[in-house]
Amino acid sequence: MLPLPLRLDIVNHSPIGFAWGYSGSGPAQLAVAILADWMGCDHAARALHQRFKAAAIACLPEKHWSLTDDDLVRIFETMRKERPWLDRLAVLEDGPTVQIVDRYAEHRGEFVTLVAIVPHDHSETNDEAVVSLQDGSQLSLYRDQVSVAMLHVRG
């Protein structure tokens, strides 16, 4: 096993390290690092880490704890019961290749890979489409900012 990176590039809550067992900056940093590693999507980790911190990290015992994939799935099932809109969360390992066709988009015409659909609340118009650019960087496209028709699946 490798040490879990802090992932200060996503959010910088606690540059001195992780903590758990309470609701603070160290637990928030641990939550974002676990989610980024588990989901493989920095944007989803950033969007969901505070809720995940409250549901899982803040209640961990001081010593001798672990979180398995099954534990994480159960935690998200509990979170979805409290927030049904989380059912729209989709993190894709092999998402479709799409082309950004909206004339106002910064990366117009570029072929990208859809990485995730991240819901922020009960309204689908506030969902975030995360795409991976050809250089490997990720870009967020918010449905309330761009036309839903701006992405075309490559055929």
Side-chain angles (χ1 to χ4, degrees):
M1 278 196 289
L2 297 173
L4 187 64
L6 278 174
R7 296 309 311 262
L8 299 173
D9 57 312
I10 300 173
V11 292
N12 186 350
H13 289 297
S14 179
I16 60 169
F18 299 133
W20 53 89
Y22 66 99
S23 187
S25 59
Q29 199 67 51
L30 179 59
V32 77
I34 289 172
L35 290 179
D37 181 67
W38 186 59
M39 295 177 145
C41 178
D42 298 351
H43 294 268
R46 185 189 68 241
L48 300 171
H49 77 280
Q50 291 290 357
R51 287 184 176 89
F52 179 72
K53 174 186 77 171
I57 306 303
C59 57
L60 288 173
E62 185 179 329
K63 297 181 182 180
H64 308 293
W65 59 268
S66 66
L67 290 173
T68 65
D69 281 345
D70 290 339
D71 294 330
L72 296 173
V73 168
R74 278 192 296 279
I75 291 164
F76 267 85
E77 286 172 357
T78 301
M79 288 170 61
R80 276 197 302 262
K81 288 176 186 172
E82 297 169 1
R83 295 169 182 85
W85 49 266
L86 279 177
D87 281 339
R88 294 195 315 271
L89 174 67
V91 179
L92 311 168
E93 285 186 32
D94 296 313
T97 300
V98 295
Q99 184 178 22
I100 301 175
V101 296
D102 189 283
R103 65 182 174 165
Y104 300 108
E106 183 179 338
H107 294 270
R108 181 174 178 248
E110 188 166 350
F111 284 96
V112 296
T113 303
L114 185 62
V115 174
I117 302 293
V118 182
H120 288 272
D121 59 25
H122 65 281
S123 172
E124 286 186 30
T125 59
N126 294 326
D127 286 358
E128 178 181 359
V130 180
V131 296
S132 177
L133 302 174
Q134 292 175 359
D135 67 3
S137 61
Q138 291 181 344
L139 175 69
S140 289
L141 307 169
Y142 293 89
R143 288 191 187 181
D144 65 345
Q145 295 173 333
V146 295
S147 165
V148 175
M150 92 171 239
L151 297 176
H152 284 168
V153 176
R154 187 178 194 176

